[in-house]
Amino acid sequence: MKLKTKFLIILCSILSASCSINGSFQGLYSYYSKTKGKNPQLLFKPNASIELCKLKISDTPKVYIINAAQLKHCISKTINSLVYIWAPKCKSKVCYPLNLLQQQCDKENFELFIVAEYYDYELMQFNYKIEKPIFGIDTEHYQSNLTSKYLSEFLYELTDTTKVNGRFISFRKGNFVKSFETIEEINTQNEK
């Protein structure tokens, strides 16, 4: 019995340190319906007449629901761009404040595109100091509410590879360069 108790304590410690835990298993599902139910005006699925590439942050927070092809189109119009896969409730060392990311991207001349890994009503209703609005993955387009499924399909469609290992994905002239985990690696991307 004592060994079983120790195992449970260790397991709980590991789980509580994970960025996907915050009172619930955040990140396993999209939470799209829950977020939309709390504030229908927060999530916006743009039609073809809206130019996503030219969107700027507004006074009223909005999350634009997109697929990878739409984002890839915007990225193709930039010299250096960085996509950050944002897990709103993440507290680990590989998760960064959005304001800090925008400052670093400005310093290194990158266009920053923030894509939410899942939906979170509380953290998506803030006006962060970022230039572009937050984008959310269109779960209907990918026909899944499971984060691992729609995220992997989104990333494959965006990069044309399954070799995305990290929350940061860099592009040069619209082409996938590499993915990485830490903010410090952003400045090395301009040297390529």
Side-chain angles (χ1 to χ4, degrees), residues 16-81:
S16 67
S18 168
C19 73
S20 64
I21 307 290
N22 192 10
S24 65
F25 286 97
Q26 288 285 350
L28 294 178
Y29 300 98
S30 73
Y31 302 103
Y32 175 82
S33 296
K34 184 178 179 181
T35 303
K36 183 112 176 132
K38 286 186 175 184
N39 183 354
Q41 286 74 38
L42 177 64
L43 305 180
F44 182 74
K45 195 169 186 176
N47 59 37
S49 67
I50 293 177
E51 290 192 56
L52 291 175
C53 309
K54 295 183 179 180
L55 289 174
K56 299 287 182 195
I57 201 81
S58 67
D59 292 337
T60 305
K62 258 189 188 40
V63 176
Y64 288 85
I65 312 306
I66 62 166
N67 61 51
Q70 292 169 299
L71 183 58
K72 197 171 190 175
H73 174 74
C74 291
I75 289 170
S76 71
K77 297 180 178 204
T78 66
I79 302 291
N80 291 312
S81 56

Side-chain angles (χ1 to χ4, degrees), residues 151-169:
L151 182 60
S152 63
E153 289 179 24
F154 178 88
L155 292 174
Y156 180 76
E157 187 179 347
L158 184 65
T159 63
D160 297 320
T161 183
T162 57
K163 298 178 181 176
V164 175
N165 300 310
R167 293 194 172 280
F168 294 100
I169 306 155

Side-chain angles (χ1 to χ4, degrees), residues 1-185:
M1 184 71 169
K2 196 170 190 172
L3 181 61
K4 193 175 190 181
T5 305
K6 284 183 181 180
F7 174 75
L8 287 174
I9 291 171
I10 291 170
L11 181 62
C12 288
S13 296
I14 291 169
L15 289 176
S16 67
S18 168
C19 73
S20 64
I21 307 290
N22 192 10
S24 65
F25 286 97
Q26 288 285 350
L28 294 178
Y29 300 98
S30 73
Y31 302 103
Y32 175 82
S33 296
K34 184 178 179 181
T35 303
K36 183 112 176 132
K38 286 186 175 184
N39 183 354
Q41 286 74 38
L42 177 64
L43 305 180
F44 182 74
K45 195 169 186 176
N47 59 37
S49 67
I50 293 177
E51 290 192 56
L52 291 175
C53 309
K54 295 183 179 180
L55 289 174
K56 299 287 182 195
I57 201 81
S58 67
D59 292 337
T60 305
K62 258 189 188 40
V63 176
Y64 288 85
I65 312 306
I66 62 166
N67 61 51
Q70 292 169 299
L71 183 58
K72 197 171 190 175
H73 174 74
C74 291
I75 289 170
S76 71
K77 297 180 178 204
T78 66
I79 302 291
N80 291 312
S81 56
L82 188 73
V83 174
Y84 177 63
I85 304 300
W86 178 51
K89 298 235 179 194
C90 184
K91 304 288 186 216
S92 81
K93 66 180 181 174
V94 295
C95 300
Y96 297 92
L98 302 183
N99 302 343
L100 176 66
L101 290 177
Q102 185 66 64
Q103 289 173 2
Q104 187 69 21
C105 285
D106 290 347
K107 180 179 164 188
E108 301 296 335
N109 295 314
F110 274 87
E111 291 283 329
L112 176 62
F113 297 91
I114 297 166
V115 177
E117 182 177 343
Y118 54 86
Y119 297 88
D120 183 277
Y121 168 73
E122 290 176 11
L123 295 172
M124 288 181 159
Q125 65 181 344
F126 292 112
N127 270 333
Y128 296 95
K129 292 181 182 176
I130 54 178
E131 292 176 10
K132 298 183 182 321
I134 294 170
F135 295 102
I137 299 172
D138 185 349
T139 58
E140 289 178 357
H141 175 82
Y142 296 103
Q143 301 177 352
S144 180
N145 198 34
L146 292 171
T147 305
S148 61
K149 184 174 183 330
Y150 67 74
L151 182 60
S152 63
E153 289 179 24
F154 178 88
L155 292 174
Y156 180 76
E157 187 179 347
L158 184 65
T159 63
D160 297 320
T161 183
T162 57
K163 298 178 181 176
V164 175
N165 300 310
R167 293 194 172 280
F168 294 100
I169 306 155
S170 66
F171 295 85
R172 176 130 178 98
K173 296 181 181 174
N175 297 309
F176 170 69
V177 175
K178 73 180 235 179
S179 59
F180 49 95
E181 283 286 347
T182 66
I183 195 171
E184 292 78 21
E185 293 179 70

